[in-house]
Amino acid sequence: MSPADVVVALDVGGTGMKCALVGPNGGTVRAERHPTDAGRGPDAVVDAILDIAEGLAGKARADGFEPVALGVAVPGVVNEAAGVAVWSANVGFRDVPLRDLAVARLGLPTALGHDVRAGGLAEARLGAGRGTGHVLFVAIGTGIAAAHVVDGSAATGAHGAAGEIGHILVRPGGPRCGCGRRGCLEAVASASAIARRYAELAGVTATAAEVADRAAGGEPAAARVWAEAVEALADGLATGQSLFDVETVVVGGGLAQAGPLLFDPLRAALHERMTFHREPRLVAAALGDEAGCLGAALLALDNLEK
Amino acid sequence: MSPADVVVALDVGGTGMKCALVGPNGGTVRAERHPTDAGRGPDAVVDAILDIAEGLAGKARADGFEPVALGVAVPGVVNEAAGVAVWSANVGFRDVPLRDLAVARLGLPTALGHDVRAGGLAEARLGAGRGTGHVLFVAIGTGIAAAHVVDGSAATGAHGAAGEIGHILVRPGGPRCGCGRRGCLEAVASASAIARRYAELAGVTATAAEVADRAAGGEPAAARVWAEAVEALADGLATGQSLFDVETVVVGGGLAQAGPLLFDPLRAALHERMTFHREPRLVAAALGDEAGCLGAALLALDNLEK
C-alpha cells in the first residue's frame, strides 16, 4: 500500500455509527459520527451505511487520499465469511448481505465484521492488549460480550456467534436475562443489570457509574450491588480463563469507565479464583469507543492482504 | 510420505500408556499398551516413554516400515510450542523437556501434545466430529477437560492450559473441587463426583456407571444424583457453546459409556438452554480410549508437514 492509501471504516451501533478514514498503519486521518436511527428500519440503516461510506470515500479522494477498501462492523450475529449481517436485536438486521451490497455500491473490496470482535481485534493489536498473542476482550455496557483474539485474529465460531460471555451461567436461579434464561452474567453484571438491581434495593434510580461512586462513598445498597456485580464478573472471567488461557484480559465498554472502582476489586476477586490457572493480566481498554471502528479498518486491511 | 512410512505415537496416562505405529492416513499398523506406573517417579516414567518409543521404532523397521516421526501426548499443562511437559498431577511431570529428550534418544522429529487436546484432534479429524470445522471435545472421567478444535487444530492457550471446562463454575457454593474452589463442573459431574455424591446420599458405594443404571431402574437416590450431574453438564456445555459457537460437541471419556442414559437427557437439557444460540450436534466419541494416541500420531504428522 502507498502512504496515501486509506480504508473506509464504519462501526454501526444501536444508537450511533463511528466512521473513519484509516491509514495503513492504523492512524485515523478523518473521523465522523452519525446517528444510526434504527427506528427507521434496517433497509434505511443499510442505505445510510452505504451513503456514509460512499461519502467518506469521496472526501478521501478530495483530500488527496486513495480509498482502497471498506470495513464495516455491525452488532448481533455476523457471518464474516459470507459477509452477512445475520441477526441484530437493536438494528433489526435479518440476513442482510451487507458486504455484497457495499461492493456493488462502492466498488471497493469490503470486509464485514462483528462489532465486539472488531473492537477486540483493535484492542489486541493497537490497544491495551498490544504485544500479547492471546487476548480476551470483554465489553461491558448494556450487555456483555467478548472477543477471543489469538495472534491478531478474533474467533468467529461456526455461525458467527462466538464470544457470548454475557450468556454464561454464573448465578443459577438468578435474575432473568434478556435471552430468556436465568442467572446469565449479563443479567447480574452489565451496566443495566447493576442499575436495575440498585433501583430494586434502594428504591431510587441511578446509573451503574453512580452506583460505583455511591458504593465507594459507603452507601450500603450501592456497595452490595457493586460487590455482587464484581463477584459475578470475576466468576465469568475465571470461566473464560479456564477455557481460553489468555495472557491479557482487556475490559472495555461503559462500565470500564469506573476505573479503579471496578478494576481494583475485580482484579482481587479474579486473583482469588485462580487456583491452577496462570493468572492473566487484567487491564482497561485503551481505545475507548473507537475500538470497533479501528477494528473494522483492520478487517479491511487484513482482507486486502489476503 | 511413502506408504511404508509410519509415525510412533504414545498417549501417556496416569495409569497406562497407549502406544501405536500409525500410517500416513491414520491407520494403526501396531498397537501396544504399557503400564505408566507413575509411583516410580517422573524420571522413570520419562525413561519408560523413551524406551517404549525406541522399541516401537525398532519393531517398525523389523516389519519393513520406516519410522519418520514421534508424537507423545501427556496429561496436565503442556507447552506444545516448547515441547515441555510443564506440570502433571498424576504423572508428576514438572517442566520436563520431553520433546528434546526424545529427539536426543530417537533422532526423530518429535511433537509433544496434551492428552485431551490430542484426543479432541483425533475425534475432530478421524472420529465423531469428522467433516465439521468447529468441534468441542469434552472428556468426562475422573476429571473433566475439553479441547476446542477449529479447522483440525486444537487451541492450546497462552500457557498450554486451555480447555479446562472441568473448572468452570456451575454451582456457586457447591461441592469442593480438587482445584480448591467450590462448584466447579468437575466437582459435580465427573464420574468420581457422581460416585462420591451417590455414596453420600445412598450410604453405599457404586461407580458412576452403576449410578446411571440404578437411576434408569428408578432408584430415587441414583436418579437424583444422575439428574444433578446431567443438569450441571448441560450448564457447562451451554457455557461452552456461548463462548465457542461450535457445530459439534463430542463427549467422550468413561462417562460417555453410559450411552443413551447420558446422551438422551443431556441432549434435552442442552436443548432447553439454547436460547439465541445455534444448537450444536451432541454426539458420543467414536474412537474410545485410542483417541489420545491417534491424536499424538496426527501431531507427529502435522509437525512433519510444517
Side-chain angles (χ1 to χ4, degrees):
Chain A
M1 288 178 72
S2 113
D5 287 348
V6 291
V7 296
V8 180
L10 281 83
D11 175 21
V12 180
T15 55
M17 303 190 213
K18 291 104 186 176
C19 315
L21 297 172
V22 178
N25 54 9
T28 298
V29 300
R30 173 189 281 269
E32 295 180 357
R33 298 201 171 206
H34 298 270
T36 300
D37 198 1
R40 58 188 156 167
D43 290 347
V45 173
V46 169
D47 283 343
I49 290 170
L50 299 178
D51 288 346
I52 291 166
E54 200 169 33
L56 270 169
K59 290 171 194 171
R61 289 189 191 97
D63 289 344
F65 292 103
E66 179 62 30
V68 292
L70 170 63
V72 181
V74 299
V77 176
V78 182
N79 185 331
E80 274 98 339
V84 173
V86 176
W87 182 89
S88 155
N90 48 9
V91 186
F93 293 142
R94 298 289 180 278
D95 292 317
V96 178
L98 202 42
R99 185 182 62 200
D100 289 352
L101 292 172
V103 169
R105 173 81 84 90
L106 277 82
L108 294 177
T110 298
L112 183 71
H114 176 265
D115 58 352
V116 175
R117 291 197 286 270
L121 204 62
E123 286 291 348
R125 284 161 59 174
L126 306 170
R130 197 169 170 167
T132 51
H134 294 250
V135 173
L136 183 66
F137 172 65
V138 182
I140 311 174
T142 314
I144 303 182
H148 181 220
V149 184
V150 177
D151 296 336
S153 123
T156 61
H159 319 94
E164 292 285 2
I165 201 170
H167 300 284
I168 67 175
L169 176 73
V170 294
R171 295 292 176 267
R176 179 77 63 184
C177 181
C179 82
R181 292 185 69 200
R182 289 189 171 279
C184 292
L185 180 58
E186 185 167 303
V188 183
S190 63
S192 42
I194 290 169
R196 196 168 52 237
R197 177 79 173 128
Y198 179 75
E200 276 173 25
L201 275 187
V204 293
T205 61
T207 65
E210 288 162 351
V211 173
D213 285 336
R214 292 177 195 185
E219 195 199 291
R224 177 171 161 195
V225 172
W226 192 251
E228 285 173 359
V230 166
E231 294 289 311
L233 282 174
D235 284 332
L237 295 183
T239 284
Q241 183 64 1
S242 296
L243 291 174
F244 295 127
D245 178 29
V246 297
E247 293 163 88
T248 305
V249 174
V250 178
V251 174
L255 207 71
Q257 305 296 321
L261 295 183
L262 175 67
F263 285 90
D264 290 352
L266 183 57
R267 202 172 277 122
L270 181 61
H271 177 74
E272 232 173 55
R273 285 160 175 76
M274 299 288 91
T275 55
F276 64 92
H277 323 69
R278 291 289 191 91
E279 189 170 341
R281 212 162 51 96
L282 177 69
V283 295
L287 304 174
D289 67 0
E290 288 169 19
C293 184
L294 283 170
L298 291 174
L299 289 173
L301 291 164
D302 292 352
N303 184 44
L304 271 187
E305 279 179 15
K306 271 193 297 201
Chain B
M1 289 179 71
S2 112
D5 289 347
V6 291
V7 297
V8 180
L10 281 82
D11 175 21
V12 180
T15 55
M17 303 191 215
K18 290 106 186 175
C19 315
L21 296 173
V22 177
N25 54 9
T28 298
V29 301
R30 173 188 282 269
E32 293 181 358
R33 298 200 171 205
H34 299 269
T36 301
D37 200 359
R40 58 189 157 166
D43 291 348
V45 173
V46 169
D47 284 343
I49 290 169
L50 300 179
D51 287 348
I52 291 165
E54 200 168 34
L56 269 169
K59 290 172 194 170
R61 290 188 191 97
D63 289 345
F65 292 104
E66 180 62 30
V68 292
L70 170 62
V72 181
V74 300
V77 176
V78 181
N79 185 330
E80 273 99 340
V84 173
V86 176
W87 182 88
S88 156
N90 49 8
V91 185
F93 293 142
R94 298 289 180 276
D95 292 315
V96 178
L98 202 42
R99 184 183 62 198
D100 289 351
L101 292 171
V103 169
R105 173 81 83 87
L106 278 80
L108 294 178
T110 298
L112 183 70
H114 176 266
D115 56 353
V116 175
R117 290 197 286 269
L121 204 63
E123 285 290 351
R125 285 161 60 173
L126 307 171
R130 197 169 172 169
T132 51
H134 294 250
V135 174
L136 184 67
F137 172 65
V138 182
I140 310 174
T142 315
I144 302 181
H148 180 219
V149 184
V150 177
D151 295 337
S153 126
T156 62
H159 317 95
E164 291 286 1
I165 201 169
H167 300 284
I168 67 175
L169 177 72
V170 294
R171 295 292 176 265
R176 178 78 64 186
C177 181
C179 82
R181 290 185 70 202
R182 288 187 172 281
C184 292
L185 180 59
E186 184 168 304
V188 182
S190 64
S192 42
I194 291 168
R196 196 168 53 237
R197 178 78 174 128
Y198 180 75
E200 277 172 26
L201 276 187
V204 294
T205 60
T207 64
E210 288 163 352
V211 173
D213 285 337
R214 291 176 195 187
E219 196 199 290
R224 178 172 160 193
V225 172
W226 192 250
E228 285 173 358
V230 165
E231 294 289 312
L233 282 174
D235 284 333
L237 295 184
T239 283
Q241 183 64 1
S242 297
L243 292 174
F244 296 127
D245 178 28
V246 296
E247 293 163 88
T248 306
V249 173
V250 178
V251 174
L255 207 70
Q257 304 297 320
L261 296 182
L262 175 66
F263 285 90
D264 290 351
L266 183 57
R267 200 171 280 122
L270 181 60
H271 177 73
E272 235 172 54
R273 285 159 175 78
M274 300 288 92
T275 55
F276 65 92
H277 323 67
R278 290 288 191 93
E279 188 169 343
R281 214 162 50 99
L282 177 69
V283 295
L287 304 173
D289 68 359
E290 287 170 19
C293 185
L294 283 171
L298 290 174
L299 289 173
L301 290 165
D302 292 351
N303 183 45
L304 270 187
E305 278 179 16
K306 270 193 299 201

